[in-house]
Amino acid sequence: MKYLRFSYQDIVHYGILDNNTVQILDGTPFGAYTVTDETLALEAVKILSPCNFSKAVCIGLNYRDHAEEFQLPIPTEPVVFIKPSTTNLAPLGIIEYPPQCHRLDYEAELAIVIGKTTRNIEEKDAKEYILGYTCANDVTARDLQPKQGQWTISKSFDTFCPFGPFISDEVDASNLSIESRVNGKTMQKSNSKNLIFKIPYLVSYLSKVMTLLPGDIILTGTPGGISGMHKGDTVEIIIEGLGTLKNTIG
Ligand code: MG
């Protein structure tokens, strides 16, 4: 299934996306739902971010080439930080360039969407707690990110977590091409098979620290090739089977 959250005539719905048609759900994919027989054209709806999260848990330095471009050692345990719920931004939303930032970076990331309350689970069981996957951009005020120490300020401005456009459970997340483009030019290109810490491990590891709630997302890290964006730029995150997440900088 490809789950899309959207508004239509000022009412928020979930739907199942099938090419350019959306079939409206009664309920949400995070609980019981029924598929109605009402359909809408994709172009008639306003796409929202796929869910509201209580937290976006992010993994730093999870691709070898990204750690190397920072001249940092390959981590032996996941590097973890959290973006607050107020960073949530829809596809086509405007990423706000903070006045106190002088270098604003994109980071293409595969995001895991948690489907049900997840606490103290083992790697072998991770799959049943994952609703699906989507594209995310871990927007970063790079010049505010100290090379040592914590990253909260640089990662937490409002609008710094665009994700979407839909959640899919139809992909093999262990082998997906991932790419970022700025103004149409490819900036990052890799594959999720290059993740240092794999998805089942991350879900299990995090679940032994904090309860993951339905709708929480885990950003799995970015490959090498990061650089800056400017006001007016368009940034796209493109992941195989997960569509294109497109935003502009304002
Ligand atoms: Mg990142």
Side-chain angles (χ1 to χ4, degrees), residues 59 81 107 109 138 155 221-222:
I59 311 302
F81 62 94
E107 291 189 0
E109 307 209 4
D138 174 18
K155 301 283 194 176
T222 201

Short mmCIF file of all heavy atoms in Angstrom, two decimals, residues 59 81 107 109 138 155 221-222, ligand 1:
data_model
loop_
_atom_site.label_atom_id
_atom_site.label_comp_id
_atom_site.label_asym_id
_atom_site.label_seq_id
_atom_site.Cartn_x
_atom_site.Cartn_y
_atom_site.Cartn_z
N ILE A 59 19.52 9.38 12.91
CA ILE A 59 20.81 8.71 13.05
C ILE A 59 21.85 9.51 12.28
O ILE A 59 21.65 9.83 11.10
CB ILE A 59 20.74 7.26 12.50
CG1 ILE A 59 19.51 6.52 13.07
CG2 ILE A 59 22.03 6.52 12.80
CD1 ILE A 59 19.43 6.43 14.57
N PHE A 81 20.13 11.69 17.53
CA PHE A 81 19.59 12.97 18.00
C PHE A 81 18.12 13.01 17.61
O PHE A 81 17.62 12.14 16.89
CB PHE A 81 20.38 14.16 17.41
CG PHE A 81 20.33 14.27 15.92
CD1 PHE A 81 19.39 15.07 15.29
CD2 PHE A 81 21.23 13.56 15.13
CE1 PHE A 81 19.35 15.17 13.90
CE2 PHE A 81 21.19 13.64 13.74
CZ PHE A 81 20.25 14.45 13.13
N GLU A 107 19.97 17.01 3.57
CA GLU A 107 20.49 15.66 3.81
C GLU A 107 19.40 14.67 3.38
O GLU A 107 18.38 14.55 4.04
CB GLU A 107 20.85 15.44 5.30
CG GLU A 107 22.05 16.24 5.77
CD GLU A 107 22.53 15.84 7.18
OE1 GLU A 107 21.91 14.94 7.78
OE2 GLU A 107 23.51 16.44 7.64
N GLU A 109 17.49 11.38 3.24
CA GLU A 109 17.44 10.25 4.17
C GLU A 109 16.21 9.38 3.93
O GLU A 109 15.12 9.89 3.67
CB GLU A 109 17.44 10.75 5.62
CG GLU A 109 18.61 11.71 5.87
CD GLU A 109 19.14 11.75 7.28
OE1 GLU A 109 18.68 10.97 8.13
OE2 GLU A 109 20.04 12.59 7.51
N ASP A 138 16.82 15.82 6.23
CA ASP A 138 17.30 16.25 7.55
C ASP A 138 17.99 17.61 7.37
O ASP A 138 19.22 17.70 7.31
CB ASP A 138 18.26 15.19 8.12
CG ASP A 138 18.91 15.63 9.41
OD1 ASP A 138 18.42 16.57 10.06
OD2 ASP A 138 19.94 15.00 9.77
N LYS A 155 19.63 21.36 14.07
CA LYS A 155 18.70 20.43 13.42
C LYS A 155 17.24 20.73 13.71
O LYS A 155 16.37 20.03 13.19
CB LYS A 155 18.99 19.00 13.93
CG LYS A 155 20.40 18.49 13.68
CD LYS A 155 20.60 18.07 12.24
CE LYS A 155 21.88 17.26 12.07
NZ LYS A 155 22.01 16.77 10.67
N GLY A 221 19.91 8.41 8.34
CA GLY A 221 21.24 8.94 8.03
C GLY A 221 21.37 9.30 6.57
O GLY A 221 20.56 8.88 5.73
N THR A 222 22.39 10.10 6.29
CA THR A 222 22.55 10.62 4.92
C THR A 222 23.88 10.17 4.32
O THR A 222 24.88 10.03 5.03
CB THR A 222 22.44 12.16 4.91
OG1 THR A 222 22.11 12.60 3.59
CG2 THR A 222 23.74 12.85 5.33
MG MG B 1 21.15 13.48 8.92
#
